[in-house]
């Protein structure tokens, strides 16, 4: 279990998001400290993935605030009136928060190395040699040093997901968001991806993880958040959530998933 330093890296305040008439996020308040690993669990449709997408500005909430490393992200506020940041300013904040998705989203026309160096070269303006060196170090870390010149279609699902994690890390983010990153994998490939995430947690990476892997949440998280119907129902230590949850809805959910 990784404990944070207490200084908030990700802060969400009273976040609301609708899709048409569907109220998906209903006033979410959440803080993730630097170095903390927070796992978000809950049934499908509870708003978990939408929360991550709002934090990374892939979706725009109607109201509420997102702060990254103490700064209001994606827009400024003046007397209660919000003004959106420029696309360049939004991209700069996004670069600080890496995100890995359920589906790998690798560029199929680029090698693994090409996928890793694309953004550092074109967004961060790193020299190609420096970007390649950093990328190779990341590939060693995720166990893919021998796949640098392979194309995504030549990799297993687990290898593609590890490459996607390395690609996000290539931007040297301050925090990482993981959205059900093992749910599209065959069961025998899940462990290799979770092993990389465990390594990141042990190295002090700030992580917000939407997951259905209860054993990972129990063993790695410093805090577990249970969401349902767009709200945070309960948040506590893994020992509290899995051992003695306070809320009946949390108990019902865990009883269902742990009996499978």
């Amino acid at each position: 279990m990784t404990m944070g330093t207490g200084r908030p890296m990700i802060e969400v305040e009273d976040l609301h998001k609708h899709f048409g008439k569907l109220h998906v996020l209903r006033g979410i308040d959440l803080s993730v400290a630097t170095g903390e690993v927070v796992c978000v669990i809950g049934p499908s449709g509870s708003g978990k993935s939408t929360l991550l997408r709002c934090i990374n500005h892939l979706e725009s909430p109607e109201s509420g605030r997102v702060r990254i490393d103490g700064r209001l992200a994606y827009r400024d506020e003046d007397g209660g009136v919000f003004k959106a940041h420029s696309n360049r300013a939004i991209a700069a904040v996004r670069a600080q928060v890496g995100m890995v998705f359920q589906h790998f989203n690798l560029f199929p026309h680029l090698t693994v190395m090409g996928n890793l160096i694309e953004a550092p070269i074109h967004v961060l303006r790193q020299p190609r040699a420096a970007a390649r060196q950093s990328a190779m170090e990341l590939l060693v870390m995720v166990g893919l040093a021998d796949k640098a010149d392979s194309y995504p279609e030549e990799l297993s699902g687990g290898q593609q997901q590890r490459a996607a994690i390395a690609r996000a890390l290539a931007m040297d983010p301050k925090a990482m968001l993981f959205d059900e990153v093992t749910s599209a994998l065959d069961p025998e490939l899940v462990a290799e991806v979770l092993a990389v995430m465990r390594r990141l947690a042990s190295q002090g990476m700030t992580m917000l993880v939407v997951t259905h892997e209860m054993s990972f949440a129990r063993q790695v998280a410093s805090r577990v958040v249970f969401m349902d119907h767009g709200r945070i129902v309960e948040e506590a230590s893994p020992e509290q959530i899995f051992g003695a949850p306070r809320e009946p809805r949390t108990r019902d959910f865990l009883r269902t998933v742990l009996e499978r």
Side-chain angles (χ1 to χ4, degrees):
M1 182 188 305
T2 301
M3 299 304 293
T5 65
R7 181 172 64 88
M9 177 56 68
I10 299 171
E11 297 172 273
V12 174
E13 178 185 336
D14 196 25
L15 212 62
H16 287 262
K17 175 63 181 176
H18 289 77
F19 291 113
K21 295 182 178 180
L22 184 61
H23 199 173
V24 179
L25 297 180
R26 300 168 176 258
I28 298 293
D29 293 301
L30 180 65
S31 179
V32 182
T34 302
E36 191 177 24
V37 179
V38 174
C39 286
V40 183
I41 63 173
S44 297
S46 58
K48 307 183 302 295
S49 294
T50 301
L51 172 60
L52 293 195
R53 292 176 68 85
C54 286
I55 291 172
N56 209 35
H57 204 64
L58 295 172
E59 300 287 351
S60 297
E62 290 85 32
S63 62
R65 298 167 182 81
V66 175
R67 291 184 177 86
I68 305 297
D69 201 12
R71 293 189 173 187
L72 191 64
Y74 314 122
R75 55 186 184 169
D76 291 316
E77 183 179 9
D78 183 8
V81 177
F82 289 100
K83 180 181 179 181
H85 286 174
S86 67
N87 289 338
R88 176 174 291 191
I90 289 172
V93 175
R94 267 189 180 158
Q96 300 176 35
V97 185
M99 186 160 177
V100 185
F101 302 86
Q102 175 180 342
H103 299 289
F104 322 121
N105 293 346
L106 296 171
F107 298 120
H109 64 290
L110 296 178
T111 63
V112 170
M113 176 61 73
N115 269 275
L116 264 66
I117 67 175
E118 178 80 3
I121 289 174
H122 295 290
V123 178
L124 300 183
R125 305 299 182 187
Q126 289 183 3
R128 180 173 291 271
R132 287 185 63 87
Q133 180 178 343
S134 297
M136 185 54 69
E137 292 171 358
L138 289 170
L139 290 177
V140 170
M141 190 198 79
V142 301
L144 292 176
D146 60 336
K147 300 295 184 182
D149 296 324
S150 299
Y151 287 87
E153 65 179 12
E154 299 172 316
L155 305 180
S156 70
Q159 290 171 332
Q160 289 187 58
Q161 194 59 290
R162 284 185 281 152
I165 293 172
R167 182 178 65 177
L169 291 171
M171 295 294 285
D172 194 23
K174 295 179 177 179
M176 289 283 288
L177 309 177
F178 294 89
D179 187 12
E180 296 279 18
V181 295
T182 60
S183 60
L185 299 178
D186 293 332
E188 64 269 22
L189 301 178
V190 169
E192 65 187 55
V193 174
L194 293 181
V196 171
M197 295 171 65
R198 290 174 192 270
R199 191 173 307 130
L200 284 176
S202 70
Q203 294 171 353
M205 173 60 74
T206 306
M207 297 165 58
L208 183 58
V209 183
V210 168
T211 185
H212 63 274
E213 299 290 340
M214 297 299 140
S215 60
F216 177 86
R218 186 194 296 261
Q219 296 167 14
V220 180
S222 41
R223 191 155 37 97
V224 177
V225 173
F226 173 63
M227 285 184 65
D228 192 28
H229 290 98
R231 292 188 172 92
I232 292 177
V233 176
E234 184 170 356
E235 60 177 304
S237 68
E239 294 79 8
Q240 176 78 44
I241 291 289
F242 291 105
R246 296 184 299 271
E247 300 295 330
R249 182 66 188 97
T250 312
R251 291 196 293 271
D252 290 345
F253 172 77
L254 289 173
R255 187 180 305 116
T256 300
V257 298
L258 295 176
E259 288 177 356
R260 289 175 184 170

